[in-house]
């Protein structure tokens, strides 16, 4: 212990590996993804083709955007469990309002609850300092209540999926899913915001050491409120994309995506304690989960088993990252 | 002033609020009688156990997000085991399910101690795992409950020496609740173990330096939480006659009642009585809203909003109560 400062000791392979994982989490993740695809190919020879890749991308994109919400909130040490409800709300409102409203009006109406929920989340977390988990869980409960009331008012008018969302959700252009037209700008924007703008740096700063950030003059509540509103807006947009993909508006449309979105961000190397991580890892994490889901479906694993597996993955990865950070 | 309010006056104030609500209920519905009180006690039962489960852990300085999922799992386990089985078989099912809750809860604590991941993350992961396990046991609401078990929550408890009119106000469900809670809680609170639970919640480092086995105490606290949650799950099965694999709104409700009951979310303060009264207050508010002929979906919104407001208020008190300069 005493001479470790003066004498450079040989670093063991395990530690080097750990450090490597911590510095470049993307490489092991991509290796894992390739392994999963290979297993899939071995189990079902010929499954991996152009159509399969396009299909996987289509299902991974909504998950990746929602996981983006989790990534950004996790960077500040938070989490946003209301994304499922927000996405469902905007999708449901869009599908029912488009029947007798102008598309623009329907879009604005669909985004309204997203902004409101984001705002309430932000104020609750930023001003009142409620734990984000509890806060977002509460607003999602309230949101679901509103949706149930709303559903009864539109039961007569029916619902339809706008052609544009249909095109965006399921269409292909030269073999590429059209959802990429939405996803690429969103992803670029998130990565750019996190790495190159002041707001992104504030998110990292707040998550890394909130007290230090405050003392250096960061307006905590403003950052947090803006963050949760952005997260909710992204979730709302995902809802629109997802309804174009699933094509069946229901009151629990995007709910099954919440847990995988958390898992994707955690697997992608974003620390749930804040301050560490990035969006690129999350995208690979979302791809891994989508491929894994296909794999588990082929192996006839029921929904319950999948949830158990995802839960353990979150716990295992978090514990592993904790060890890596402690070692540094 | 604030301190006195939290320490002594809080429970008394809560009790006054409860009495006020009863008077209000009687004013809204002059026919509100012993039968309605009995159904209130039945409705409170699962909530009260969920709150007890949350209270133990919160006092120990943690939080248990898996309460609702644990209730769902124990409920479906009990329901599917009793389905088609004989009445006597239930004598085996009840202790089995309770032991299951105890072990799974201890596992929660063990994971927290071993992985050193914060409890909020571990219990989030176990929330997913338990939810998945519940879906594996029963993928749709179903199962059955033994008749003698159902009889334990229906009707009133004849107490010798009490006139019939007073007897009518002693529903079996309430007696069951109080007996279960106090048989576990009172000896615990008096024991060394109970003191240790308060100690680790109040100041973990100080407790450790005074020789409190912190890790063991934490595991025991989570095991007790699991036991209470299993009681809650059993009471769900008993009162509905079936088991449902989808967790109810018990997590948020339990946190809200804990906060409203005067237990500091930081740990180490409060008792079980306050949160239990708080559950009655929250349920009675719901009854009143129903009696006022408000749409049940709107009631859900109002209820959610009240719970979020309570949690926000609790968080606000926690910031205010913290001595200046202390790290959050």
């Amino acid at each position: 212990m005493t001479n470790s400062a003066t004498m450079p000791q040989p670093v063991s392979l395990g530690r080097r590996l750990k450090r490597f994982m911590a510095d470049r989490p993307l490489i092991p993740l991509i290796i894992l993804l390739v392994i999963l695809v290979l297993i899939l190919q071995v189990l079902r020879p010929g499954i991996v083709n152009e159509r399969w890749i396009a299909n996987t991308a289509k299902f991974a994109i909504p998950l990746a955007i929602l996981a983006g919400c989790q990534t950004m909130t996790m960077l500040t040490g938070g989490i946003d469990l209301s994304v499922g409800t927000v996405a469902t709300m905007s999708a449901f409102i869009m599908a029912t309002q488009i029947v007798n409203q102008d598309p623009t009006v329907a879009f604005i109406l669909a985004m309204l609850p997203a902004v409101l929920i984001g705002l309430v989340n932000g104020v609750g977390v930023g001003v009142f300092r409620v734990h984000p988990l509890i806060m977002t869980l509460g607003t999602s409960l309230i949101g679901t209540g509103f949706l149930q009331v709303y559903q009864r008012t539109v039961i007569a008018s029916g619902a339809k999926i706008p052609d544009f969302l249909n095109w965006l959700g399921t269409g292909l252009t030269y073999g590429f899913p059209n959802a990429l037209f939405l996803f690429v700008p969103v992803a670029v924007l998130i990565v750019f915001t996190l790495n190159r703008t002041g707001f992104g740096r504030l998110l990292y700063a707040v998550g890394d050491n909130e007290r230090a950030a405050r003392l250096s003059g960061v307006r905590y509540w403003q950052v947090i409120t803006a963050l949760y509103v952005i997260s909710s807006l992204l979730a709302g947009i995902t809802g629109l994309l997802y309804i174009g993909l699933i094509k069946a508006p229901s009151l629990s449309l995007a709910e099954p995506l919440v847990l995988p979105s958390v898992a994707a961000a955690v697997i992608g190397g974003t620390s749930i304690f804040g301050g560490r991580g990035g969006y690129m890892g999350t995208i690979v994490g979302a791809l891994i989960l989508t491929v894994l889901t296909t794999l588990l479906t082929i192996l006839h694993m029921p929904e319950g088993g999948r949830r158990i597996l995802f839960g353990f993955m979150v716990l295992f990865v978090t514990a592993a990252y904790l060890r890596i950070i402690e070692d540094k | 002033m604030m301190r006195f309010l939290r320490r002594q006056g809080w429970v008394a104030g809560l009790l006054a609020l409860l009495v006020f609500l009863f008077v209000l209920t009687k004013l809204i519905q002059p026919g509100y009688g012993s039968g309605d009180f009995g159904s209130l006690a039945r409705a409170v039962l699962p909530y009260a156990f969920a709150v007890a489960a949350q209270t133990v852990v919160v006092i120990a300085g943690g939080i248990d997000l898996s309460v609702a999922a644990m209730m769902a799992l124990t409920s479906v386990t009990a329901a599917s085991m009793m389905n088609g089985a004989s009445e006597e078989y239930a004598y085996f099912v009840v202790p089995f399910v309770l032991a299951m809750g105890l072990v799974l809860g201890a596992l929660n604590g063990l994971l927290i101690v071993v992985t050193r991941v914060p409890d909020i993350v571990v219990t989030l992961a176990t929330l997913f795992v338990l939810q998945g396990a519940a879906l594996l046991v029963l993928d749709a609401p179903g199962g059955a409950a033994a008749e003698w078990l159902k009889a334990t929550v229906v009707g009133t408890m004849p107490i010798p020496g009490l006139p019939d009119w007073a007897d009518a106000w002693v529903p079996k469900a309430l007696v069951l609740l109080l007996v279960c809670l106090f048989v576990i809680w009172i000896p615990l609170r008096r024991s060394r173990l109970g003191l240790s639970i308060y100690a680790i919640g109040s100041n973990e480092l100080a407790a450790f330096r005074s020789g409190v086995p912190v890790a063991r105490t934490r595991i025991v606290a989570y095991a007790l939480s699991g036991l209470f949650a299993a009681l809650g799950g059993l009471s769900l099965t008993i009162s509905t006659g079936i088991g449902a694999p989808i967790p109810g709104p018990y997590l948020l409700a339990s946190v809200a009642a804990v906060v409203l009951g005067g237990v500091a979310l930081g740990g180490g303060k409060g008792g079980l009585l306050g949160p239990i009264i708080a559950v009655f207050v929250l349920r009675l508010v719901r009854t009143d809203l129903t009696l006022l002929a408000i749409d049940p979906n709107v009631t859900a919104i109002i209820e959610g909003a009240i719970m979020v407001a309570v949690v926000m208020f609790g968080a606000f008190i926690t910031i205010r109560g913290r001595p200046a300069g202390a790290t959050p």
Side-chain angles (χ1 to χ4, degrees):
Chain A
M1 204 56 201
T2 44
N3 55 9
S4 65
T6 49
M7 273 175 59
Q9 286 178 347
V11 185
S12 74
L13 182 70
R15 271 196 75 149
R16 278 222 313 260
L17 201 71
K18 269 187 188 170
R19 206 174 283 171
F20 177 72
M21 291 274 286
D23 290 343
R24 303 202 180 285
L26 262 185
I27 292 167
L29 280 176
I30 291 173
I31 294 173
L32 179 62
L33 180 62
V34 171
I35 292 175
L36 281 175
V37 173
L38 285 180
I39 295 176
L40 202 62
Q41 175 71 14
V42 169
L43 283 178
R44 282 283 162 88
I47 190 177
V48 181
N49 56 26
E50 231 171 88
R51 250 189 78 212
W52 178 81
I53 293 174
N55 220 7
T56 304
K58 255 190 274 181
F59 278 93
I61 285 170
L63 179 61
I65 304 181
L66 287 189
C69 304
Q70 307 296 358
T71 307
M72 288 194 290
T73 43
M74 275 184 195
L75 283 178
T76 66
I79 195 168
D80 191 349
L81 292 187
S82 64
V83 288
T85 305
V86 170
T88 309
M89 279 177 99
S90 63
F92 196 80
I93 293 174
M94 187 70 179
T96 46
Q97 287 298 325
I98 198 78
V99 179
N100 33 21
Q101 292 279 12
D102 191 58
T104 328
V105 179
F107 177 74
I108 292 171
L109 283 174
M111 284 299 132
L112 206 62
V115 174
L116 277 178
I117 288 187
L119 208 58
V120 175
N121 280 341
V123 170
V125 175
V127 180
F128 287 91
R129 317 301 306 271
V130 181
H131 194 285
L133 237 160
I134 305 287
M135 192 65 213
T136 52
L137 197 68
T139 47
S140 81
L141 218 67
I142 298 176
T144 309
F146 271 112
L147 201 55
Q148 267 159 0
V149 174
Y150 171 78
Q151 183 204 21
R152 297 224 307 236
T153 65
V154 290
I155 224 154
S157 59
K160 75 171 197 176
I161 315 294
D163 295 335
F164 174 70
L165 291 183
N166 235 332
W167 174 84
L168 192 65
T170 43
L172 294 177
T173 308
Y174 301 115
F176 289 102
N178 291 336
L180 282 173
F181 289 123
L182 175 69
F183 180 65
V184 172
V186 166
V188 168
L189 198 68
I190 294 179
V191 171
F192 181 78
T193 306
L194 288 182
N195 295 341
R196 291 274 177 274
T197 64
F199 181 69
R201 273 177 242 267
L202 283 183
L203 294 185
Y204 280 96
V206 163
D208 200 34
N209 190 336
E210 191 199 311
R211 214 169 125 71
R214 263 166 194 286
L215 291 177
S216 352
V218 175
R219 303 250 169 88
Y220 179 76
W221 72 273
Q222 290 177 354
V223 176
I224 294 294
T225 309
L227 167 68
Y228 279 90
V229 171
I230 292 172
S231 166
S232 257
L233 269 176
L234 276 179
I237 291 169
T238 314
L240 301 187
L241 177 65
Y242 202 55
I243 188 84
L245 180 61
I246 300 291
K247 294 200 182 68
S250 78
L251 291 189
S252 57
L253 177 77
E255 245 12 278
L257 287 182
V258 178
L259 159 60
S261 77
V262 176
V266 171
I267 291 167
T270 300
S271 163
I272 209 162
F273 316 114
R276 293 175 61 86
Y279 191 50
M280 292 310 283
T282 305
I283 298 174
V284 184
L287 279 170
I288 289 178
L289 282 186
T290 312
V291 175
L292 193 64
T293 309
T294 318
L295 196 63
L296 295 179
T297 314
I298 287 178
L299 295 174
H300 297 294
M301 166 116 40
E303 168 69 17
R306 234 178 285 165
R307 286 196 195 188
I308 294 180
L309 194 71
F310 284 2
F312 276 124
M313 269 163 81
V314 169
L315 184 60
F316 177 77
V317 174
T318 315
Y321 273 107
L322 204 65
R323 298 288 178 282
I324 290 172
I325 295 164
E326 275 174 358
D327 264 21
K328 279 199 125 185
Chain B
M1 176 62 196
M2 220 53 185
R3 197 185 193 97
F4 174 77
L5 216 84
R6 253 183 311 175
R7 279 269 169 86
Q8 316 290 334
W10 194 272
V11 173
L14 214 52
L15 209 56
L17 181 63
L18 184 64
V19 171
F20 168 75
L21 277 173
F22 268 119
V23 173
L24 194 69
T25 314
K26 193 79 184 163
L27 284 180
I28 296 171
Q29 180 90 344
Y32 190 88
S34 55
D36 301 295
F37 182 66
S39 58
L40 174 72
R42 267 201 301 286
V44 158
L45 206 56
Y47 283 94
F49 284 126
V51 169
Q54 194 66 262
T55 306
V56 178
V57 172
V58 169
I59 287 177
I63 192 159
D64 188 353
L65 300 181
S66 65
V67 166
M70 180 84 83
M71 285 170 69
L73 175 61
T74 47
S75 170
V76 290
T77 309
S80 59
M81 280 175 84
M82 285 191 275
N83 195 11
S86 66
E87 288 284 297
E88 289 74 32
Y89 188 59
Y91 288 111
F92 166 71
V93 172
V94 172
F96 175 80
V97 168
L98 294 186
M100 187 169 108
L102 199 70
V103 170
L104 289 177
L107 207 64
N108 250 343
L110 197 70
L111 283 174
I112 291 166
V113 170
V114 171
T115 61
R116 281 178 285 141
V117 175
D119 31 28
I120 204 151
V121 181
V122 171
T123 52
L124 181 69
T126 46
L127 158 87
F128 297 147
V129 172
L130 294 177
Q131 230 176 46
L135 276 175
L136 285 185
V137 175
L138 269 185
D139 54 4
E147 290 302 325
W148 69 267
L149 267 175
K150 283 191 208 164
T152 54
V153 292
V154 178
T156 59
M157 188 82 158
I159 295 170
L162 216 61
D164 275 351
W165 64 266
D167 227 24
W169 286 91
V170 188
K172 271 189 197 165
L174 184 64
V175 177
L176 183 76
L177 170 67
L178 295 181
V179 167
C180 285
L181 289 183
F182 288 105
V183 159
I184 302 172
W185 182 250
I186 296 285
L188 177 75
R189 177 117 202 218
R190 295 290 161 101
S191 69
R192 200 188 170 84
L193 183 67
L195 195 63
S196 308
I197 289 179
Y198 274 86
I200 63 168
S202 169
N203 189 335
E204 196 183 319
L205 191 63
F208 177 72
R209 287 185 178 155
S210 325
V212 174
V214 173
R216 206 192 314 155
T217 311
R218 177 153 298 144
I219 294 173
V220 170
Y222 276 94
L224 277 174
S225 164
L227 177 66
F228 278 129
L231 277 168
L234 264 182
S235 68
L236 264 180
T237 304
I238 292 171
S239 51
T240 57
I242 54 166
I246 304 297
Y250 299 105
L251 171 59
L252 186 66
S254 72
V255 176
V258 161
V259 172
L260 190 60
V263 177
L265 275 181
K269 288 201 191 83
L272 194 53
L273 187 61
I276 297 297
I277 299 176
V279 176
F280 273 91
V281 168
L282 288 175
R283 290 289 89 193
L284 207 53
V285 167
R286 190 190 178 112
T287 310
D288 284 354
L289 290 174
T290 316
L291 288 179
L292 287 171
I294 289 172
D295 180 333
N297 289 319
V298 178
T299 311
I301 299 173
I302 297 175
E303 221 189 340
I306 291 176
M307 289 195 280
V308 167
V310 165
V311 175
M312 277 166 111
F313 173 72
F316 190 64
I317 289 262
T318 317
I319 328 174
R320 278 298 192 75
R322 200 179 287 143
T327 46

